[in-house]
Amino acid sequence: MGSPQGRWAGLPVSDPAPAPTSPYIYDAQNLPENRRLVAAFARMYTDAKILFAVRIFGVAALAVGLVVAGVLAPQARSIVSGLGSVVLLVASIVVTNVEKTHRTRAAATQEEFDTRVFRLTWNAIHVDRPSASHIQHAAARYEGTRDTNWYDPTSGTHRPFDVLICQAANFGWGTTMHRRWGWTLSAIAIVLLGVLASIASLVGTSYAEGLLVVVGPFVTVFKELIEQIKANFEASAAKEKGERQLADLWSKGMSGSHIPTELELRSLQDKILALRQSNPYVPDWFDERFRKQSEAAMRASTDDRVREAIAAGHAMPGTA
């Protein structure tokens, strides 16, 4: 590979000598300051999800209110619709901006964690470093128990393969989940449309009027559903693309034809960061439903890559 140019000039190149990332990724992630980062970005993502849920429920509540007004008090429909739309528009703008701020901070904080434990340079072009005060405040409000062992062990492998293994987990995690949630939302949209169409047949002097009264107010709800369906399928596809790019680097490394450089590790990390900044939300209850299955798959994938690296001769001295 040629010498890095432009803003990448001067970056160190991975040393092909068998030396692991120091300190070991598995050990570094459990240092107190890094556990604090995990707690902080987990809390920040939760805050962003709550704001997103508030916005979605607000849209749904207004739609239901408009249907009720249209059925029980047709003469008040225009007033309710006008006032409700204005309130929802203002609230949506405010909530969306705050939600975006929390998401950006969460992604930046997770990037801080990754660059520390992976020993990668910070790319200020894509994101600013999170402030210490925001990290401390968010970590103090974290109530979960998943602030340790974020990445599975990569013992026996050396850099850059230990970093690649962990980056592969980032691409792999959520790929199937986003697709599942996308299909679930598609089913919800179809069922909701069917229910509303059935109700419309019972309202108004004609079916067309019934559709206007019942389905019309839910146009914004369907817009949100369609956007989320599209975003989840796109996120799944983007992660799969990232996985393929990483797999290509991994394959070259295993064959010995090319040892991935720090530049290439940083480039993959930029893709991971971009995904985190735009990832659609999957509800916690849905994520919990498949979490054990996802964790088992990621753990098996990590173990397979570690064994492959050792078999290919990319093992630390003394590793069996």
Side-chain angles (χ1 to χ4, degrees):
M1 181 173 179
S3 299
Q5 299 296 322
R7 64 187 175 90
W8 297 110
L11 279 179
V13 177
S14 293
D15 185 353
T21 298
S22 181
Y24 287 105
I25 294 173
Y26 191 76
D27 295 334
Q29 68 181 340
N30 290 321
L31 294 174
E33 61 270 24
N34 291 333
R35 288 181 60 186
R36 188 180 303 113
L37 288 171
V38 175
F41 69 67
R43 181 65 246 184
M44 290 174 185
Y45 282 126
T46 296
D47 291 343
K49 282 185 178 182
I50 290 173
L51 290 167
F52 173 76
V54 168
R55 179 165 64 85
I56 296 301
F57 280 120
V59 170
L62 176 62
V64 172
L66 290 175
V67 171
V68 173
V71 173
L72 301 181
Q75 68 280 5
R77 188 191 310 157
S78 59
I79 297 176
V80 174
S81 177
L83 290 176
S85 297
V86 171
V87 172
L88 184 61
L89 175 63
V90 174
S92 179
I93 292 174
V94 174
V95 173
T96 299
N97 286 335
V98 177
E99 174 196 334
K100 184 177 179 181
T101 298
H102 280 284
R103 183 207 292 264
T104 301
R105 286 177 183 169
T109 304
Q110 192 167 6
E111 179 70 2
E112 178 75 29
F113 171 77
D114 275 356
T115 54
R116 283 190 185 186
V117 300
F118 296 163
R119 310 302 293 174
L120 294 175
T121 57
W122 184 268
N123 190 346
I125 292 177
H126 292 307
V127 66
D128 294 328
R129 285 189 182 275
S131 72
S133 60
H134 286 140
I135 291 173
Q136 293 286 356
H137 180 65
R141 294 186 298 112
Y142 178 65
E143 298 177 351
T145 58
R146 294 175 180 159
D147 59 337
T148 60
N149 302 336
W150 190 257
Y151 292 112
D152 289 322
T154 57
S155 303
T157 60
H158 59 77
R159 192 176 183 89
F161 302 109
D162 52 358
V163 176
L164 278 177
I165 290 170
C166 294
Q167 288 180 321
N170 282 301
F171 282 121
W173 184 265
T175 301
T176 303
M177 193 71 68
H178 282 299
R179 190 180 299 110
R180 283 173 176 160
W181 184 235
W183 283 117
T184 300
L185 288 176
S186 299
I188 290 173
I190 293 171
V191 171
L192 178 60
L193 181 60
V195 170
L196 293 176
S198 298
I199 295 174
S201 65
L202 306 175
V203 176
T205 57
S206 67
Y207 189 59
E209 181 182 359
L211 287 175
L212 180 64
V213 172
V214 178
V215 179
F218 276 84
V219 168
T220 305
V221 175
F222 283 110
K223 175 179 175 293
E224 291 283 356
L225 279 171
I226 291 171
E227 287 179 350
Q228 287 301 304
I229 291 169
K230 181 173 179 286
N232 273 278
F233 283 128
E234 286 179 346
S236 180
K239 288 188 174 186
E240 287 178 337
K241 182 179 179 181
E243 279 190 286
R244 288 194 295 271
Q245 292 172 338
L246 186 146
D248 182 59
L249 269 180
W250 178 267
S251 178
K252 291 177 180 177
M254 292 299 99
S255 68
S257 64
H258 173 73
I259 300 299
T261 65
E262 294 293 322
L263 169 61
E264 289 167 326
L265 294 181
R266 181 61 257 183
S267 179
L268 287 172
Q269 191 64 31
D270 287 341
K271 291 178 173 63
I272 293 170
L273 172 62
L275 285 169
R276 289 170 178 164
Q277 291 173 324
S278 60
N279 245 0
Y281 301 119
V282 174
D284 289 339
W285 61 266
F286 192 84
D287 180 66
E288 287 293 338
R289 171 68 178 78
F290 299 99
R291 175 166 286 275
K292 288 185 178 179
Q293 181 179 338
S294 298
E295 287 178 342
M298 287 300 98
R299 192 171 297 114
S301 177
T302 296
D303 291 343
D304 287 345
R305 286 189 184 275
V306 169
R307 284 194 294 268
E308 183 181 1
I310 293 173
H314 298 292
M316 291 298 297
T319 302

